């Protein structure tokens, strides 16, 4: 009996159990300053997503211009179609920089001594909720970006044209908006399959390397605790019944998957090996118990945007679950 109790206690230690109020968490006085800073960034997230969803691209105009290189009117038409789109892409890119800073502010609060990551997430639920919202946004942004090849086509055309015009010594107003240095940075950002996730991974890795006195475990434990809390809330009827909306369930699933992917990119050996603090089988099982249309995109995110799934250290069982 004593041994069984030890095993159960160890399991509870490994996988923290508490309810994180994603619907109503309000900042305490101690959280308010950082909460306000992050909130100011997040208030633009929905308009960024709506803008990205409405992004149609200038494919036809670009094709016409390329096929008729001597037709000045078609060249101008393509250029005039692409320029406002590039300004829009710059807005998305600049938002990623603001999001990076917001994430680092949150990590600072949620990992600092004397509290453990579990105590932080339990005590500072409004900050934990903002952290979750950043991950939720990231997955939605990257999903939309991956489905829209026009973004890279438009930007490539823009860069080719501006280089050609520079050779011809033409000055263009758009260069005040997107100069060469900015275009280079944007190009690296949009070359990524999942640019927002890459931004967050880099931000988290940078946070760990800059805070040399803070053990990396504080950061990875913060992530694994968030994963565990989402999984427990999804699989525990008592917790699920406290959500007032189906949307919160989907939010919880997206956050769980987003944090798994982030953990897998940041942790030296990733999320899938036996020594990781994540109940990976439990997380996949929870997803597979949901209606297929609401989780197929999330399962694909685990299949295709994680870093360590195909490592030798990943068990065959986990790989089979994701096939």
């Amino acid at each position: 009996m004593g041994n069984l109790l030890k095993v159960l206690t160890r399991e509870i230690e490994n996988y923290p159990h508490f309810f994180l109020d994603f619907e109503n968490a309000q900042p305490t006085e101690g959280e308010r300053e950082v909460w306000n800073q992050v909130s100011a960034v997040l208030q633009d997230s929905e308009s960024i997503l709506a803008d990205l969803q409405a992004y149609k691209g200038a494919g036809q105009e670009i094709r016409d211009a390329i096929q008729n290189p001597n037709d000045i009117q078609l060249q101008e038409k393509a250029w005039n179609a692409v320029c406002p789109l590039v300004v829009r892409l710059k807005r998305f890119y600049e938002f990623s920089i603001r999001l990076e800073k917001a994430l680092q502010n949150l990590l600072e609060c949620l990992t600092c001594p004397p509290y453990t990551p579990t105590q932080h997430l339990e005590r500072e639920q409004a900050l934990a909720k903002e952290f979750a919202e950043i991950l939720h946004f990231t997955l939605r942004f990257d999903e939309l970006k991956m489905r829209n090849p026009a973004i890279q086509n438009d930007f490539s055309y823009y860069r080719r044209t501006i280089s050609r015009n520079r050779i011809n010594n033409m000055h263009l107003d758009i260069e005040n908006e997107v100069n060469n240095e900015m275009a280079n940075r944007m190009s690296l950002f949009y070359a990524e399959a999942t640019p927002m996730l890459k931004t967050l991974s880099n931000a988290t890795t940078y946070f760990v390397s800059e805070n040399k006195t803070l053990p990396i475990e504080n950061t990875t434990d913060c992530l694994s605790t968030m994963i565990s809390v989402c999984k427990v809330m999804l699989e525990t009827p008592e917790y699920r019944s406290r959500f007032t909306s189906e949307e919160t369930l989907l939010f919880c699933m997206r956050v769980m998957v987003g944090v798994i992917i982030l953990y897998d990119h940041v942790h030296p050996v990733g999320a899938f090996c036996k020594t990781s603090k994540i109940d990976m089988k439990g997380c996949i099982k929870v997803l597979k118990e949901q209606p297929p249309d609401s989780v197929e995109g999330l399962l694909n995110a685990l299949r295709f945007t994680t870093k360590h799934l195909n490592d030798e250290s990943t068990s065959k069982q986990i790989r089979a679950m994701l096939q």
Side-chain angles (χ1 to χ4, degrees):
M1 181 69 185
N3 283 346
L4 178 63
L5 208 60
K6 269 185 207 159
V7 170
L8 288 174
T9 310
R10 194 159 61 242
E11 280 192 7
I12 289 169
E13 278 169 11
N14 282 348
Y15 308 126
H17 288 54
F18 61 87
F19 183 77
L20 210 167
D21 193 351
F22 283 143
E23 291 180 332
N24 305 305
Q26 294 301 314
T28 59
E29 215 35 60
E31 295 168 86
R32 190 165 297 281
E33 188 184 342
V34 171
W35 186 88
N36 283 341
Q37 288 167 5
V38 178
S39 201
V41 176
L42 282 170
Q43 71 182 10
D44 292 331
S45 63
E46 287 304 319
S47 74
I48 293 279
L49 289 171
D51 217 2
L52 177 55
Q53 194 148 21
Y55 190 102
K56 291 288 178 274
Q60 189 57 54
E61 292 90 337
I62 290 170
R63 275 191 298 278
D64 291 345
I66 290 170
Q67 284 161 9
N68 301 279
N70 299 320
D71 187 324
I72 299 300
Q73 263 188 318
L74 288 177
Q75 305 308 311
E76 281 183 3
K77 190 178 177 189
W79 182 248
N80 291 336
V82 163
C83 285
L85 294 172
V86 168
V87 173
R88 203 192 296 191
L89 293 177
K90 182 192 176 195
R91 179 177 173 242
F92 301 160
Y93 168 70
E94 287 179 331
F95 185 75
S96 78
I97 297 168
R98 294 171 62 209
L99 205 62
E100 188 174 4
K101 183 80 184 104
L103 180 76
Q104 288 175 335
N105 287 347
L106 286 175
L107 284 174
E108 209 167 303
C109 295
L110 295 171
T111 58
C112 63
Y115 300 117
T116 66
T118 302
Q119 288 168 328
H120 272 300
L121 291 171
E122 223 171 337
R123 293 164 62 96
E124 289 139 35
Q125 295 226 345
L127 295 185
K129 179 175 182 280
E130 288 192 315
F131 180 42
E133 282 171 5
I134 287 177
L135 267 302
H136 186 241
F137 164 82
T138 296
L139 246 67
R140 289 161 75 203
F141 182 96
D142 286 348
E143 219 171 273
L144 288 170
K145 187 266 176 184
M146 278 195 283
R147 294 207 300 258
N148 198 336
I151 288 172
Q152 269 179 286
N153 295 341
D154 293 347
F155 199 65
S156 297
Y157 177 79
Y158 169 77
R159 298 206 72 193
R160 285 197 309 274
T161 309
I162 210 159
S163 299
R164 198 166 58 240
N165 289 339
R166 232 182 253 121
I167 290 164
N168 297 334
N169 290 322
M170 286 169 64
H171 176 72
L172 301 162
D173 289 342
I174 183 125
E175 285 215 74
N176 301 328
E177 186 83 44
V178 181
N179 61 24
N180 202 31
E181 189 196 340
M182 171 61 79
N184 287 338
R185 294 205 305 265
M186 285 170 65
S187 189
L188 289 172
F189 177 75
Y190 286 111
E192 295 289 339
T194 50
M196 284 292 173
L197 178 71
K198 181 70 175 166
T199 299
L200 295 197
S201 302
N202 289 348
T204 310
T205 307
Y206 181 76
F207 172 79
V208 169
S209 67
E210 281 299 287
N211 291 276
K212 292 186 171 39
T213 56
L214 191 74
I216 185 173
E217 290 74 34
N218 284 36
T219 305
T220 53
D221 285 0
C222 174
L223 301 178
S224 61
T225 302
M226 180 73 102
I227 294 162
S228 176
V229 167
C230 287
K231 181 184 82 76
V232 168
M233 290 200 295
L234 287 165
E235 68 189 2
T236 310
E238 180 209 335
Y239 285 159
R240 278 180 76 132
S241 66
R242 287 165 72 176
F243 295 146
T244 58
S245 148
E246 278 295 308
E247 273 302 301
T248 312
L249 276 182
L250 186 57
F251 178 86
C252 202
M253 285 188 270
R254 276 184 187 277
V255 170
M256 181 179 80
V257 168
V259 189
I260 289 171
I261 298 167
L262 185 58
Y263 181 100
D264 194 54
H265 280 256
V266 169
H267 195 281
V269 292
F272 297 97
C273 71
K274 286 191 178 75
T275 56
S276 102
K277 291 188 176 177
I278 300 168
D279 174 13
M280 209 60 225
K281 288 175 194 161
C283 292
I284 298 167
K285 185 169 169 284
V286 159
L287 289 173
K288 291 202 152 185
E289 284 166 358
Q290 315 306 320
D293 15 334
S294 62
V295 294
E296 195 49 41
L298 297 177
L299 289 167
N300 280 338
L302 288 176
R303 288 175 189 124
F304 304 122
T305 64
T306 46
K307 193 175 173 182
H308 294 278
L309 176 61
N310 295 314
D311 287 5
E312 280 180 25
S313 56
T314 302
S315 77
K316 286 178 183 164
Q317 195 181 354
I318 287 175
R319 273 188 235 173
M321 288 175 86
L322 281 172
Q323 270 172 1

